[in-house]
Amino acid sequence: MTRVFYDADADLAALRGLTVSVYDYGSVGRAQALNLRDSGVRVLVCERPDTPGARRAAEDGFELVAARGEAARRGDVLALLVADLAQEALFREAIAPELRPGKMLLFYHGFALHYGRVKPPRDVDVVMIAPKGPGDLLRQTFVKGRGVPCLVAVHQDASGHAWERALAYGKALGATRAGLIETNFREETETDLFGEQAVLCGGTSELVRASYETLVGAGYAPEVAYFEVLHELKLVVDLMYEHGISGMRERISETAVYGDLTRGPRVVDAGVRERLKEILGEIQDGRFAREWMAENAEGKPRFKRLLEEGQNHPIEGVGRRLRAMMPWFHEG
């Protein structure tokens, strides 16, 4: 049975006297650094000089360390909060030379380690704390005395204290107020990639565009099509987010529920389910990771072309015009 850890299971004393070096002061890094400091943990921020992140970290009162190797040398817990494909160079060039027994590497996503791009020595702790929400939400809930659930994994426990320190780090973020859910690097990485590709980004965006094209191609107004297949999606997703699928069905019309129950399986049919298995297989055997790393090595030509094609889709122009009619989107 999956273990879930709460406040009573973690002790901040496990981080007492230790320094956390936070690499990258973006949305994720800022939220974690602020929560850690507010929980009594000593934090250094590693950012390149004269960047927006460095300026904001200075405004927030953090000690800034520009040299990545120095941050690795001075830190006991090294929080690698940079993008997946940036972790390999950071680790090889700056962190690996400074690793000593007793240090702990902390990841927020398992991609680089799971696919062998980062290979820590056996005498350091390797853990992961993966928040199930963006950085801004992690910070906002913490300030309000609540928390965002996180996944926790220990890949290497060289010191014998990796679990204690990982749980303490999660508690310092506020995660144990909601729950720290045990996982491992393989499970987190593969399910995260699959969720992004099949539902959260790839599946959803392509279904929205295809549905828009179907309605407009049948002669319906683009504005009406936009509202039906994109704008109202948030309303339904919010209901699912707050109440689950069954709870969502309790809160919409019976006509909508009947269409959901009878037509949904025709949209996501046996062929779609087979292709979902194919996509998962490409993640599991490393084909997607190799493809993405090769794409980056070539300067991302396909990525840029597909991104531009998406930006030029007719639904984007219609959406910009309609969203301008709803100024409350931009308030604050």
Side-chain angles (χ1 to χ4, degrees), residues 81-96:
L81 306 184
V82 300
D84 292 329
L85 297 188
Q87 290 179 9
E88 180 180 3
L90 170 63
F91 179 80
R92 182 182 65 251
E93 297 167 6
I95 291 179

Side-chain angles (χ1 to χ4, degrees), residues 104-179:
M104 184 168 86
L105 290 174
L106 184 138
F107 296 81
Y108 77 108
H109 182 33
F111 186 100
L113 185 136
H114 178 56
Y115 291 116
R117 310 311 298 179
V118 170
K119 297 178 180 179
R122 299 183 65 85
D123 58 359
V124 299
D125 293 342
V126 181
V127 308
M128 175 173 54
I129 300 290
K132 293 293 95 182
D136 289 346
L137 183 64
L138 185 73
R139 180 59 181 167
Q140 290 165 10
T141 55
F142 180 90
V143 171
K144 294 176 181 177
R146 299 195 291 269
V148 169
C150 293
L151 303 182
V152 58
V154 172
H155 181 72
Q156 284 184 185
D157 185 4
S159 69
H161 301 291
W163 268 108
E164 299 168 37
R165 292 174 179 172
L167 295 179
Y169 191 100
K171 185 171 186 174
L173 297 185
T176 49
R177 300 170 182 173

